[in-house]
């Protein structure tokens, strides 16, 4: 029978002490993913690029990026796969909207807010809201503008809703698709540090359209100057979100191509705003046509309004 | 089985026994056989279920009857009557008039499907048809508003009638949204309730807008 002493538990020394006793033993070391990413990031980073850290957000964005690859593991024909694109809480959506309306200069929207959790809730419902806001505001604005005229008969103009829906959804989905394809193509030629997935681009575009919703409501005011000031203002806000997102992605490229890409992004955004303003909102005439008022003694008096 | 090769059964031993089915008491399954009842009973039962759900919508208390026994008859009737009442909107040209019947129908059903998908994708526990049922039934206050608007428009279409219509439509819009939220909000995860309620708000807002901007020829 073995002695009781032999059956006592033994404390194992930790790996360092064991290795010190036996330096030639074979060992396997498993690094944490974050440490690997930090090493790689340190190697790739050139000395003159400190501003990249600001643009790329805090350090643990690398960790979340690598962990994100483990999230969407359901096959694409199951419902759970699509649920991963709606994995946001109310406060996250509100934060992202706030980030698109008040762009912080120097902070990248994708790195700061999306952080490898792109959602489809925001883009889809912001586009839907924008469609109906533009249609309703356009209708209201035309109604108020033509209110006094005897020849005007109010029509709900319901067909414009479907046109608005097609335009805005096409913009919010096809332009990101084209941009993503273009960035992939350039990435194959020039090694970029920053690259975005398709969903992240869709997310940025969707949230950047949010500032057009209050703009569309304010477009009811029938003053040309007010409307154009609003266009400029909202274009600056949402354009700056887009520019700050995509400038780090194309900056390593040929200077002219980078500028052309960013210029095209802003131009398309401006076209959307101006096109919506022109199509859905009738231009306020500078001079209203003089109404003819029958006077008391039967003669008609033409007055200028 | 080699050892059984020489086993045989004699053919002159009769096999006998009794096969009886114990006559049980009146089993409850027989009550659900609706094949033998008069047609009037069948129709009245469904109509009563639909009517009970209408009452639930008008006085939205947190009851699970609406959710448990879903049916789509009520939403269909409401949708068709709303779309019919929205006909006859004025149009200078064919393109600028009010929504056509098909457009209203598609908006209501497609909108309800999209909202249901949205709430399921956000992690809701309600089933697809239950959600469609609730959203469809909660169109009832807006259908009532449409009826009232048409009656008011028969009297005249001036500013006063517009104000009356505005008040009625806004009140019914609030009622619809509150009713559907009362039924649907509980099935959502708590930190995403607002994300689910907002599309419902937008959906009923669009329907209210169509009702409010209806101008007869």
């Amino acid at each position: 029978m073995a002695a009781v002493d032999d059956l006592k538990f033994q404390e194992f020394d930790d790996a360092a002490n064991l290795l010190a006793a036996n330096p030639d033993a074979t060992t396997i070391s498993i690094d944490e993913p974050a440490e690997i990413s930090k090493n790689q990031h340190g190697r790739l980073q050139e000395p003159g690029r400190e501003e990249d850290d600001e643009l790329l957000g805090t350090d643990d964005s690398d960790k979340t990026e690598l962990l994100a690859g483990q999230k969407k593991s359901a096959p694409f024909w199951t419902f759970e796969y699509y649920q991963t694109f709606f994995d946001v809480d109310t406060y996250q959506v509100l934060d992202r909207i706030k980030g698109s309306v008040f762009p912080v200069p120097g902070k990248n929207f994708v790195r700061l807010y999306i952080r490898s959790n792109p959602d489809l809730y925001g883009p889809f419902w912001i586009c839907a809201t924008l469609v109906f806001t533009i249609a309703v505001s356009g209708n209201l604005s035309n109604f108020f503008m033509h209110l006094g005229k005897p020849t005007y008969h109010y029509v709900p103009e319901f067909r414009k809703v479907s046109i608005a829906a097609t335009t805005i959804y096409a913009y919010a989905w096809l332009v990101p698709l084209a941009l993503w394809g273009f960035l992939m193509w350039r990435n194959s030629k020039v090694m970029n540090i920053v690259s975005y997935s398709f969903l992240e681009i869709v997310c940025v575009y969707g949230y950047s359209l949010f500032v057009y919703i209050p703009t569309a409501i304010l477009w009811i005011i029938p003053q040309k100057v007010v409307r154009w000031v609003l266009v400029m203002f909202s274009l600056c806000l949402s354009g700056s979100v887009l520019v700050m997102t995509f400038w780090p992605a194309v900056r390593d490229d040929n200077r002219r191509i980078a500028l052309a890409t960013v210029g095209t992004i802003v131009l398309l955004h401006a076209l959307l705003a101006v096109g919506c303003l022109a199509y859905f909102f009738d231009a306020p005439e500078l001079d209203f046509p003089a109404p003819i008022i029958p006077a008391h003694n039967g003669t008609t008096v033409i007055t200028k309004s | 089985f080699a050892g059984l090769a020489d086993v045989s059964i004699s053919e002159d031993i009769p096999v006998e026994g009794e096969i009886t089915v114990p006559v049980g008491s009146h089993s409850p399954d027989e009550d659900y056989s609706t094949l033998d009842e008069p047609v009037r009973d069948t129709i009245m039962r469904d109509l009563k279920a639909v009517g009970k759900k209408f009452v639930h919508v008008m006085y939205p208390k947190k009851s699970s009857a609406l959710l448990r026994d879903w049916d789509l008859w009520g939403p269909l009737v409401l949708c068709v009557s709303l779309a019919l009442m929205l006909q006859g909107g004025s149009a200078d040209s064919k393109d600028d008039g009010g929504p056509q019947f098909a457009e209203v129908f598609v908006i209501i059903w497609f909108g309800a499907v999209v909202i249901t998908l949205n709430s399921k994708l956000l992690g809701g526990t309600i089933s697809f048809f239950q959600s469609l049922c609730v959203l469809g039934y909660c169109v009832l206050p807006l259908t009532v508003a449409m009826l009232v608007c048409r009656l008011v428009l028969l009297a005249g279409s001036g500013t006063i009638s517009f104000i009356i219509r505005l008040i009625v439509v806004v009140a019914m819009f609030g009622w619809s949204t509150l009713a559907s939220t009362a039924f649907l909000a509980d099935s959502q995860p708590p930190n995403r309730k607002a994300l689910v309620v907002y599309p419902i708000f937008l959906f009923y807002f669009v329907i209210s807008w169509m009702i409010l901007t209806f101008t007869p020829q």
Side-chain angles (χ1 to χ4, degrees):
Chain A
M1 194 167 116
V4 179
D5 293 337
D6 293 341
L7 297 176
K8 265 197 270 198
F9 280 114
Q10 244 183 341
E11 285 292 329
F12 283 105
D13 300 333
D14 64 347
N17 294 342
L18 285 174
L19 262 184
N22 214 351
D24 294 329
T26 51
T27 54
I28 304 171
S29 73
I30 302 173
D31 271 339
E32 295 258 333
E35 294 171 19
I36 295 180
S37 75
K38 279 200 175 67
N39 290 338
Q40 283 183 345
H41 194 70
R43 255 184 274 128
L44 284 175
Q45 200 175 23
E46 291 165 21
R49 290 287 179 91
E50 280 81 22
E51 64 265 25
D52 266 354
D53 278 341
E54 283 182 339
L55 285 169
L56 293 176
T58 59
D59 276 337
D60 57 338
S61 65
D62 292 333
K63 192 171 8 175
T64 52
E65 235 188 272
L66 278 160
L67 286 176
Q70 307 161 9
K71 250 183 20 179
K72 302 172 174 44
S73 55
F76 71 90
W77 56 83
T78 59
F79 193 69
E80 282 74 27
Y81 176 74
Y82 298 102
Q83 265 185 326
T84 57
F85 300 138
F86 283 77
D87 193 15
V88 280
D89 293 335
T90 308
Y91 75 92
Q92 280 176 314
V93 172
L94 290 176
D95 272 346
R96 292 175 186 190
I97 291 178
K98 206 163 40 126
S100 78
V101 177
F102 304 117
V104 179
K107 293 282 188 188
N108 187 330
F109 181 77
V110 174
R111 291 288 172 249
L112 196 55
Y113 288 105
I114 301 200
R115 288 180 160 273
S116 307
N117 186 19
D119 70 304
L120 287 181
Y121 178 89
F124 183 78
W125 286 108
I126 291 178
C127 288
T129 310
L130 188 61
V131 164
F132 289 115
T133 309
I134 286 189
V136 168
S137 303
N139 204 237
L140 266 181
S141 144
N142 293 347
F143 172 70
F144 284 133
M145 219 156 43
H146 301 295
L147 190 47
K149 296 187 196 155
T151 55
Y152 177 69
H153 189 56
Y154 171 74
V155 286
E157 291 176 329
F158 198 73
R159 285 302 156 91
K160 291 196 171 176
V161 172
S162 40
I163 296 175
T166 314
T167 314
I168 289 175
Y169 272 102
Y171 178 80
W173 289 85
L174 292 183
V175 171
L177 184 66
L179 188 60
W180 175 72
F182 177 76
L183 285 179
M184 285 290 122
W185 175 58
R186 293 310 298 179
N187 260 354
S188 68
K189 299 199 162 189
V190 176
M191 185 59 204
N192 279 332
I193 295 183
V194 177
S195 74
Y196 299 119
S197 73
F198 172 60
L199 280 171
E200 286 171 348
I201 301 183
V202 167
C203 227
V204 172
Y205 263 88
Y207 280 104
S208 74
L209 285 177
F210 178 81
V211 76
Y212 285 142
I213 295 178
T215 310
I217 298 179
L218 287 175
W219 274 341
I220 296 181
I221 303 174
Q223 298 296 327
K224 221 172 194 169
V225 173
V226 170
R227 285 182 180 177
W228 281 100
V229 163
L230 282 170
V231 168
M232 290 295 128
F233 187 63
S234 60
L235 186 60
C236 283
L237 275 183
S238 59
S240 67
V241 171
L242 289 177
V243 166
M244 281 193 290
T245 303
F246 290 109
W247 180 246
V250 293
R251 138 170 84 187
D252 301 321
D253 207 343
N254 185 358
R255 192 87 186 161
R256 291 165 68 180
I257 294 187
L259 283 177
T261 310
V262 173
T264 312
I265 293 176
V266 175
L267 185 67
L268 284 174
H269 218 59
L271 267 181
L272 180 76
V274 171
C276 283
L277 178 61
Y279 184 70
F280 293 100
F281 295 82
D282 289 346
E285 296 109 333
L286 294 173
D287 290 327
F288 281 90
I292 300 178
I293 306 173
H296 295 296
N297 50 4
T299 59
T300 55
V301 175
I302 298 179
T303 58
K304 261 196 156 357
S305 64
Chain B
F1 296 122
L4 293 176
D6 47 353
V7 170
S8 63
I9 300 176
S10 155
E11 288 185 8
D12 47 352
I13 302 179
V15 174
E16 46 179 68
E18 275 191 26
I19 302 177
T20 54
V21 174
V23 178
S25 54
H26 193 68
S27 76
D29 282 343
E30 285 185 25
D31 283 346
Y32 288 177
S33 155
T34 57
L35 212 50
D36 295 331
E37 63 178 13
V39 173
R40 193 188 125 93
D41 280 355
T42 314
I43 295 182
M44 285 311 294
R45 181 174 44 240
D46 281 338
L47 277 180
K48 280 205 195 105
V50 169
K52 202 155 52 150
K53 290 206 191 61
F54 279 153
V55 170
H56 273 301
V57 169
M58 292 314 273
Y59 300 106
K61 290 189 300 269
K62 238 176 270 293
S63 86
S64 56
L66 195 68
L67 293 183
R68 220 182 19 234
D69 310 317
W70 60 266
D71 74 90
L72 293 178
W73 284 112
L76 181 67
V77 163
L78 288 173
C79 178
V80 166
S81 53
L82 188 61
L84 280 177
M85 282 196 279
L86 278 170
Q87 287 300 101
S90 70
D92 291 337
S93 71
K94 211 163 73 78
D95 285 338
D96 276 352
Q100 303 298 312
F101 180 92
E103 286 170 343
V104 177
F105 206 81
V106 162
I107 281 184
I108 292 182
W109 285 104
F110 187 65
V113 165
V114 165
I115 294 177
T116 306
L117 277 179
N118 176 65
S119 75
K120 284 189 78 66
L121 282 169
L122 281 170
T125 55
I126 200 171
S127 97
F128 182 76
F129 285 108
Q130 280 173 348
S131 171
L132 276 188
C133 168
V134 169
L135 287 169
Y137 269 103
C138 290
V139 173
L140 174 67
L142 288 170
T143 311
V144 168
M146 183 73 221
L147 201 58
V148 170
C149 282
R150 278 214 94 143
L151 291 175
V152 168
L153 278 171
L154 282 179
S157 56
T159 312
I160 298 185
S161 102
F162 175 74
I163 293 181
I164 298 178
R165 280 185 291 141
L166 181 67
I167 294 176
V168 167
V169 168
V170 166
M172 292 298 152
F173 160 63
W175 199 337
S176 280
T177 310
L178 283 175
S180 62
T181 310
F183 288 118
L184 286 180
D186 280 341
S187 63
Q188 302 303 320
N191 47 351
R192 295 180 184 181
K193 278 207 168 72
L195 296 185
V196 171
V197 168
Y198 172 71
I200 301 180
F201 170 87
L202 188 64
F203 176 61
Y204 288 126
F205 178 79
V206 169
I207 299 182
S208 316
W209 177 253
M210 287 198 291
I211 293 176
L212 190 58
T213 61
F214 173 77
T215 49
Q217 201 124 30

